[in-house]
Amino acid sequence: MTELHESAGTGPGDAHFAVFTDRADAAAVARSFARRGSRTLAHASGRPWLVGH
């Protein structure tokens, strides 16, 4: 892992996101990332692609 820049931080609002491959087994992992206020964008297949807040 690379070192963080000295000005790096968590930023305002505690934002996060995760990207998932278009695979059936990724859907279970994507559900574990979803929190209140999160949004999920889907692949054309309907499976989760991005989950973030």
Side-chain angles (χ1 to χ4, degrees):
M1 185 174 283
T2 61
E3 291 185 37
L4 292 176
H5 187 274
E6 64 186 34
S7 67
T10 57
D14 191 29
H16 72 276
F17 74 94
V19 180
F20 299 95
T21 57
D22 192 6
R23 297 174 41 126
D25 55 351
V29 179
R31 283 191 298 271
S32 72
F33 277 79
R35 300 286 186 264
R36 173 178 274 176
S38 294
R39 289 188 57 199
T40 300
L41 299 177
H43 287 281
S45 66
R47 294 180 184 122
W49 172 39
L50 297 169
V51 176
H53 179 260

